[in-house]
């Protein structure tokens, strides 16, 4: 028997009574899934090139604020239903089972898409710019052209698919190996980011201009003062800085919002966090705030070192094919910082940092769908074979293989076609999260029996349960970003083919559910009863 | 879930486990037979709760207690009784006492032990009285076995209830199938009431196996799951019972019994019913044996269960439920 320190309860010897895990662990999990590097790459490339008049600082803060509201709503869900498996668990406790399954299916597809997205950008943002920069800095044309070749469709597909396969093999070989590689890559990512920031601090504007002119003057067709030549060419081709523009700033926020969603991914491991309220709050909110701080510092340093006009011009020129001003590969921060530093070693370290952040996404975005697929199988809404777990490795190999196949399919689509707008699936997933957050508004009233056991059950704001308030605000934030994506034709948009994808994915989820429902019915199994609460009579 | 009508020699077992004192989970367990159309109810081990939550009267008439790791103040009898109900549904034992009594008990392990025993007895007796008319009316057979967390007096309470048949340490026949049961587990870091070495566990189970006429059609109702399966995966703990994390992720490890695995692999019963590892919800096959652990979410008031359809002495279907 014991009285726990500082608490007013008595415990007896019983299994399962464990001390709390470090809240830092949840923070690392969440910030790893924000993929700070990918976010930085997108924001510093698409921001100045596409959203003329958009303000990176304001856009990022807007996305951070919205994600904080969504995060608060998700924290209420995960502390009330502290299970592993994410929104599938929340949905099955609060809504019509076919809808809960469909939302889970949509969400899982979206994260799988983003694992593939990361796999594609492993080459585009990490490897190709790094190899090109190494070739330029070391003046080795063969390496330089190899970098440009690597950015092509087939190498992008090959490296992306290969990365997914490696990620899947790591997952299939056991969770310990997965944890180990994630830890190594997280360390590499953090070190690379520190080197990136340090390089920017150590490089003055004059040094950057000097290095850029020296290395790119002969490679671009804009004169020996390549730095100013790029700005002139881009201005001649239509780039301008029209001053602060709210509309463009809000659209630009989509690119900060995309990676920030990862900050709430610890809802998928809710059952594995003992001090769930504190851990999830610090993990989710800390990851959002931490990422925003790193981005804001990076923007300031990049603008100081490179100049905002130059950054806008060089990215605009690349995206719009401005003659003579386009860099050999996409001018992501990896390329530009490496060129500014004029150092092979620093280029490699910076690139490894970005690659590390991107990698953190890849196996985890396979793991997330895999867990959901196993849960569907246990609930009989997916074939039994998909829930099978290997006896030796304890990993669900059929589910991993299915996720891998889907991921490679997405890599192919992203590499060889432009059919999918860049973040179309975020639009779909954000809608799914918005519906779950909306359900959270009513949960304290509809499922009082569960909610009253939540550690937040007694917390109210103006007499309204805190979960209703937080989920309500989260729902509004999610819907605002859904609309933001809907009207941003560059990121997602509402072209007919985008709408087809949106509708098709939801309809697909319902179709799968009903096909499984009918199949199980023939086996004498009523899937509908899986989550119905047993009445107490 | 199975259709509610029986088909020929088919029958359906509803198995739930690790309710850990949750009143709402126990009541759902009793109601599961009617709800799912099951013929037999089996309650796995770890029936009793782990924590007493004192609600101490203060000199100003209010009450101080703890909830979710925080000190909480309650005002009036209405709030106290609502809190007691909520705590009972979560599997804990609320106890109203004076602040002086609470302070005295804090330094009195033996007093705490006595308090636990009286509250556990009271809760089980309430449950049995609640279940009696319902099980009698439904005509459903209900079996229970203790788990490693349950004190030995639990056997006497369950066995003497008249409506729940105690399974511990013996073989009983269930529609032509033999069921052997034990709530003993291999050693745990918590040094619980019913745990022993792997060798001792094997020696506890073997005499029951020797009584079986057809081991290959038997049910092994053993609280601890077989080692190295999806049913026994839980967070790895360090020496201070803290979960081990790597890269921000909790590291999972096997905590099941090697002896149980060896016996199942050797004798290949039709079905293994397990619990113990709350996170280990799933179904695993060891050769021809189907092993089930429905897991537990008792603190949420959600009853995890499994519906097992048996026909011709074979497991035809297993469906995990969350009611």
């Amino acid at each position: 028997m014991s009285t726990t320190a500082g608490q007013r309860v008595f415990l007896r010897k019983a299994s399962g009574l464990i001390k709390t895990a470090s809240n830092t662990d949840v923070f690392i999990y969440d910030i790893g899934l924000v993929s700070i590097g990918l976010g930085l790459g997108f924001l510093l490339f698409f921001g100045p090139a596409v959203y003329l008049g958009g303000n990176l600082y304001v856009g990022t803060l807007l996305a951070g604020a919205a994600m904080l509201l969504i995060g608060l709503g998700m924290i209420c869900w995960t502390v009330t239903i502290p299970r592993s498996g994410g929104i599938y668990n929340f949905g099955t406790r609060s809504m019509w089972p076919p809808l809960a399954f469909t939302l889970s299916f949509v969400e899982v597809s979206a994260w799988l898409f983003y694992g593939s997205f990361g796999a594609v950008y492993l080459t585009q943002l990490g490897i190709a710019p790094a190899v090109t920069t190494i070739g330029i800095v070391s003046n080795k044309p063969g390496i330089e052209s190899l970098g440009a070749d690597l950015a092509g469709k087939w190498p992008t597909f090959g490296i992306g698919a290969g990365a997914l396969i490696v990620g899947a093999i790591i997952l299939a070989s056991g969770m310990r190996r997965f944890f180990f590689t994630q830890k190594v890559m997280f360390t590499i990512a953090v070190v690379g980011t520190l080197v990136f920031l340090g390089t920017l601090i150590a490089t003055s504007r004059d040094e950057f201009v000097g290095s850029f002119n020296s290395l790119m003057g002969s490679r671009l067709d804009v004169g020996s003062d390549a730095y100013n030549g790029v700005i002139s060419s881009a201005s001649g081709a239509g780039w301008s800085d029209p001053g602060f523009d709210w509309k463009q700033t809000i659209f630009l926020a989509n690119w900060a919002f995309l990676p920030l969603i990862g900050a709430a991914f610890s809802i998928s491991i809710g059952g594995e966090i003992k001090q769930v309220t504190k851990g999830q709050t610090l993990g989710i909110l800390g990851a959002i705030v931490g990422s925003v701080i790193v981005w804001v510092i990076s923007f300031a340093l990049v603008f100081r070192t490179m100049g905002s006009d130059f950054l806008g011009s060089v990215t605009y020129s690349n995206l719009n094919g401005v003659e003579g001003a386009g860099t050999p590969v996409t001018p992501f921060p990896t390329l530009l910082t490496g060129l500014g530093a004029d150092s092979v070693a620093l280029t490699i370290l910076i690139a490894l940092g970005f690659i590390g952040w991107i990698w953190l996404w890849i196996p985890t975005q396979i793991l997330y769908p895999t867990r959901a697929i196993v849960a569907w199988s246990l609930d009989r809404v997916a074939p039994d074979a998909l829930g099978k777990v290997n006896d030796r490795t304890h990993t669900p190999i059929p589910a991993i293989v299915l996720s891998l196949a889907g991921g490679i399919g997405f890599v192919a689509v992203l590499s060889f076609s432009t059919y999918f707008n860049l973040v179309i699936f975020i639009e779909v997933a954000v809608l799914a999260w918005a519906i779950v957050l909306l359900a959270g508004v009513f949960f304290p009233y509809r499922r009082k029996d569960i909610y009253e056991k939540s550690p937040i059950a007694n917390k109210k704001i103006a007499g309204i349960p805190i979960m209703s308030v937080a989920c309500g605000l989260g729902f509004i934030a999610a819907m605002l970003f859904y609309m933001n994506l809907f009207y941003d034709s560059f990121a997602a948009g509402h072209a007919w083919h985008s709408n087809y994808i949106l509708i098709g994915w939801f309809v697909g989820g319902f179709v799968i559910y009903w096909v499984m429902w009918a199949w199980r019915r023939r086996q004498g199994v009523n899937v509908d009863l899986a989550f119905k609460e047993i009445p107490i009579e | 879930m199975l259709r509610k009508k029986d088909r020929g020699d088919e029958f359906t077992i509803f198995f739930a486990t690790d309710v850990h004192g949750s009143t709402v989970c126990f009541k759902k367990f009793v109601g599961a037979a009617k709800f799912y159309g099951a013929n037999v109810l089996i309650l796995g081990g770890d029936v009793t709760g782990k924590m007493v939550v004192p609600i101490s009267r203060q000199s100003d008439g209010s009450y101080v207690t703890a909830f979710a790791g925080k000190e909480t103040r309650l005002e009036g009898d209405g709030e106290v009784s609502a809190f007691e109900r909520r705590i009972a549904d979560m599997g804990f034992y609320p106890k109203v006492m004076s602040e002086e009594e609470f302070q005295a008990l804090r330094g009195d392990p033996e007093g705490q032990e006595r308090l636990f025993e009286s509250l556990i007895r009271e809760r089980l007796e309430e449950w049995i009285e609640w279940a009696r008319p319902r099980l009698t009316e439904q005509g459903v057979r209900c079996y229970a076995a203790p788990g490693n967390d349950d004190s030995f007096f639990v056997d006497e309470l369950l066995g003497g209830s008249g409506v729940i048949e105690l399974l511990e340490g013996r073989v009983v026949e269930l529609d032509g199938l033999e069921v052997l049961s034990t709530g003993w587990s291999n050693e745990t870091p918590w040094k619980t009431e019913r745990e022993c070495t792997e060798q001792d566990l094997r020696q506890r189970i073997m005499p029951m196996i020797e009584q079986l006429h057809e081991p290959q059609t038997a049910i092994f109702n053993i609280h601890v799951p077989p080692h190295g399966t999806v049913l026994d995966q839980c967070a790895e703990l360090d020496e201070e019972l803290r979960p081990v994390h790597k890269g921000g992720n909790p590291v999972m490890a096997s905590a099941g019994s090697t002896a149980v695995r060896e016996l199942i692999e050797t004798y290949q019963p039709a079905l293994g019913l397990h619990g113990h590892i709350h996170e280990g919800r799933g179904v695993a096959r060891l050769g021809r044996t189907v092993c089930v652990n429905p897991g537990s979410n008792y603190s949420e008031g959600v009853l995890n269960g499994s519906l097992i359809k048996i026909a011709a002495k074979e497991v035809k279907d297993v469906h995990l439920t969350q009611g």
Side-chain angles (χ1 to χ4, degrees):
Chain A
M1 303 298 141
S2 66
T3 309
T4 58
Q7 289 186 7
R8 300 180 63 95
V9 295
F10 303 140
L11 298 171
R12 69 190 185 94
K13 284 191 294 185
S15 43
L17 292 171
I18 57 178
K19 292 182 183 173
T20 53
S22 161
N23 298 321
T24 315
D25 293 319
V26 189
F27 172 72
I28 291 173
Y29 183 89
D30 283 330
I31 205 159
L33 287 171
V34 169
S35 193
I36 285 178
L38 202 55
L40 200 55
F42 290 152
L43 286 162
L44 287 171
F45 179 64
F46 294 130
V50 179
Y51 303 94
L52 304 183
N55 184 294
L56 278 170
Y57 297 104
V58 178
T60 300
L61 290 172
L62 282 175
M67 196 55 217
L68 280 175
L69 295 178
I70 293 169
L72 285 170
M74 287 301 182
I75 288 167
C76 289
W77 264 122
T78 193
V79 302
T80 301
I81 302 182
R83 306 241 198 104
S84 297
I87 69 168
Y88 183 57
N89 288 319
F90 309 155
T92 49
R93 287 278 147 226
S94 61
M95 56 183 79
W96 188 44
L99 178 60
F101 172 80
T102 299
L103 294 179
S104 174
F105 172 74
V106 163
E107 190 207 25
V108 156
S109 307
W111 306 147
L112 203 51
F113 181 80
Y114 282 102
S116 306
F117 198 70
V120 165
Y121 277 89
L122 200 61
T123 309
Q124 295 288 319
L125 201 155
I127 297 169
V131 173
T132 306
T133 311
I134 291 165
I136 292 171
V137 171
S138 60
N139 200 21
K140 292 191 172 143
I143 296 177
E144 186 183 337
S145 70
L146 173 66
D149 292 343
L150 285 172
K153 289 177 179 176
W154 275 103
T156 297
F157 171 73
I159 293 170
L164 286 177
I165 291 168
V166 172
I169 289 171
I170 290 170
L171 277 176
S173 65
M175 294 305 285
R176 280 174 188 272
R177 197 159 291 166
F178 166 71
F179 296 141
F180 177 74
T181 53
Q182 291 296 92
K183 196 174 184 178
V184 169
M185 293 311 272
F186 183 75
T187 307
I188 289 171
V190 171
V191 170
T193 303
L194 291 175
V195 171
F196 169 70
L197 296 175
T199 305
L200 288 170
I201 290 168
T203 310
S204 69
R205 175 77 62 85
D206 288 343
E207 285 168 333
F208 179 81
V209 172
S211 295
F212 188 82
N213 286 346
S214 142
L215 294 169
M216 299 305 291
S218 58
R219 288 176 170 84
L220 302 178
D221 192 15
V222 290
S224 58
D225 181 6
Y227 180 86
N228 287 308
V230 167
I231 296 173
S232 303
S233 298
S235 298
W239 182 84
S240 66
D241 180 2
F244 183 78
D245 182 322
W246 266 114
K247 186 179 170 189
Q248 296 303 317
T249 300
I250 290 168
F251 280 156
L252 165 61
N254 282 329
W255 294 99
F257 185 73
L258 158 68
L260 278 177
I261 287 179
F265 266 32
S266 55
I267 59 171
S268 71
I269 56 164
E272 292 147 36
I273 302 167
K274 269 288 164 190
Q275 203 176 8
V276 68
T277 310
K278 200 170 178 186
Q280 291 282 31
T281 305
L282 290 176
I284 292 175
L285 303 187
I288 296 167
V289 172
S291 305
V292 167
I293 289 171
V294 172
W295 287 337
V296 166
I297 291 171
S298 302
F299 299 156
L301 290 173
V302 165
F303 288 149
R304 185 194 71 99
T305 303
M306 300 179 196
S308 57
D309 282 354
F310 171 76
L311 190 68
S313 300
V314 77
T315 51
Y316 180 88
S317 299
N318 181 275
L319 203 62
N320 294 285
V322 175
E323 203 174 335
T327 46
V329 291
T330 311
F332 283 117
T334 14
L335 177 80
L336 296 177
T337 315
L339 291 177
D342 196 2
S343 159
V344 170
L346 287 177
T347 302
I348 290 171
L349 286 172
I350 292 166
L352 281 175
F354 279 86
I355 289 167
W357 284 117
I358 298 168
W359 172 266
L360 287 171
W361 259 24
I362 294 172
T364 313
Q365 303 289 33
I366 300 173
L367 177 64
Y368 195 98
T370 298
R371 285 182 167 172
I373 290 167
V374 171
W376 299 342
S377 176
L378 286 177
D379 294 337
R380 317 303 288 277
V381 289
D384 299 340
L386 290 177
K388 287 216 173 352
V389 174
N390 183 278
D391 273 347
R392 196 173 57 81
T393 61
H394 305 301
T395 52
I397 290 173
I400 291 172
V401 170
L402 180 68
S403 300
L404 174 64
I408 290 175
F410 281 137
V411 169
V413 172
L414 285 164
S415 301
F416 297 114
S417 85
T418 53
Y419 184 74
F420 284 156
N421 283 35
L422 287 171
V423 292
I424 181 69
F425 274 86
I426 272 288
E427 196 174 315
V428 184
V430 168
L431 187 58
W433 274 31
I435 295 169
V436 171
L437 287 164
L438 182 63
V441 174
F442 305 103
F443 189 81
Y445 303 100
R446 292 187 64 235
R447 295 303 305 268
K448 238 178 186 162
D449 56 317
I450 296 177
Y451 186 67
E452 68 177 9
K453 297 176 189 74
S454 161
I456 55 170
N458 290 331
K459 293 189 182 354
K460 294 188 175 181
I461 295 173
I464 302 168
I466 194 169
M467 182 168 179
S468 299
V469 175
C471 286
L473 292 171
F475 167 71
I476 292 167
M479 283 310 293
L480 285 174
F481 263 87
Y482 170 73
M483 297 308 292
N484 203 28
L485 287 158
F486 189 80
Y487 287 109
D488 179 357
S489 55
F490 180 76
H494 55 279
W496 268 113
H497 78 275
S498 297
N499 289 337
Y500 287 148
I501 293 166
L502 197 73
I503 296 164
W505 236 262
F506 273 91
V507 170
F510 277 105
V511 168
I512 291 170
Y513 183 90
W514 289 117
V515 167
M516 287 305 300
W517 182 90
W519 185 37
R520 295 297 188 196
R521 195 85 183 165
R522 286 184 61 191
Q523 295 176 330
V525 175
N526 183 356
V527 169
D528 283 345
L529 285 175
F531 306 104
K532 280 197 177 166
E533 193 183 5
I534 303 168
I536 296 170
E537 295 173 353
Chain B
M1 253 63 38
L2 305 169
R3 284 181 184 167
K4 293 194 175 182
K5 60 185 176 187
D6 287 340
R7 296 171 169 183
D9 67 341
E10 277 184 17
F11 72 99
T12 303
I13 296 169
F14 179 76
F15 172 69
T17 181
D18 295 81
V19 295
H20 280 289
S22 166
T23 297
V24 70
C25 284
F26 179 78
K27 288 181 175 178
K28 285 179 175 180
F29 170 75
V30 172
K34 189 174 171 187
F35 185 69
Y36 295 122
N39 312 89
V40 177
L41 293 173
I42 299 178
L43 182 62
D46 287 358
V47 179
T48 52
K50 304 173 181 181
M51 188 162 76
V52 169
V53 182
I55 304 169
S56 58
R57 265 186 310 273
Q58 305 298 301
S59 53
D60 62 358
S62 66
Y63 295 83
V64 171
T65 186
F67 182 62
K70 285 186 182 164
E71 197 169 291
T72 306
R73 192 168 285 271
L74 304 171
E75 304 287 348
D77 292 345
E79 279 193 15
V80 170
S81 56
F83 182 76
E84 284 182 297
R85 198 169 49 250
R86 187 186 342 166
I87 288 293
D89 281 348
M90 293 173 79
F92 308 135
Y93 300 100
K95 177 67 179 172
V96 177
M97 60 181 74
S98 68
E99 180 65 21
E100 292 73 30
E101 282 175 299
F102 168 66
Q103 293 301 342
L105 271 171
R106 283 186 103 165
D108 178 8
E110 285 177 9
Q112 289 179 29
E113 202 163 329
R114 284 195 298 276
L115 179 62
F116 258 110
E117 181 168 339
S118 74
L119 292 171
I120 289 170
R121 280 184 183 278
E122 197 178 300
R123 175 82 46 91
L124 284 176
E125 282 163 2
E126 273 172 27
W127 286 5
I128 289 163
E129 287 317 305
W130 189 88
R132 191 183 307 283
R134 289 163 178 83
L135 290 173
T136 309
E137 183 197 337
Q138 292 171 31
V140 174
R141 285 160 294 161
C142 182
Y143 301 91
N148 63 304
D149 282 345
D150 294 322
S151 303
F152 293 100
F153 66 82
V154 168
D155 298 28
E156 163 208 329
L157 279 169
L158 292 174
S161 70
V163 287
I164 298 170
E165 189 173 338
L166 182 72
L167 295 172
E168 176 61 23
R170 65 200 190 100
V171 175
V172 297
E173 193 179 308
L174 179 67
D175 282 6
L177 300 181
E178 296 162 302
V179 184
L180 68 78
S181 305
T182 187
W184 283 77
S185 80
N186 52 348
E187 290 170 302
T188 75
W190 297 276
K191 314 289 178 208
T192 56
E193 305 245 0
R194 302 181 202 226
E195 59 180 64
C196 55
T197 62
E198 292 285 0
Q199 197 183 349
D200 286 348
L201 185 57
R202 194 177 191 281
Q203 281 170 4
R204 283 184 175 279
I205 299 168
M206 268 316 291
M208 289 188 280
I209 292 178
E210 283 162 5
Q211 292 175 46
L212 299 173
H213 297 103
E214 288 182 277
Q216 70 279 9
T217 63
I219 297 173
F220 282 17
N221 176 30
I222 302 174
H223 187 57
V224 60
H227 183 270
T229 59
V230 68
L231 313 180
D232 79 330
Q233 298 295 300
C234 60
E236 185 174 310
L237 302 178
D238 65 15
E239 286 168 358
E240 294 183 6
L241 304 183
R242 286 183 306 224
V244 176
H245 280 68
K246 284 188 180 167
N249 292 272
V251 178
M252 305 301 273
S254 283
S257 160
T258 51
V260 171
R261 180 170 184 135
E262 181 210 321
L263 292 171
I264 288 174
E265 286 178 333
T266 305
Y267 293 96
Q268 292 285 281
L271 176 64
L273 298 176
H274 310 280
H276 190 51
I277 308 293
H278 300 183
E279 307 92 319
R281 181 173 182 258
V283 180
R285 267 191 181 274
L286 287 177
R288 62 177 294 278
T289 307
V290 179
C291 297
V292 183
N293 176 3
S296 177
N297 286 311
Y298 72 94
S299 62
E300 294 169 41
V302 173
L303 181 68
N304 284 11
S306 51
L307 279 163
I308 301 144
K309 182 162 61 173
I310 309 270
K313 297 188 176 182
E314 282 187 10
V315 175
K316 293 296 177 193
D317 191 69
V318 177
H319 192 175
L320 300 180
T321 61
Q322 292 186 312

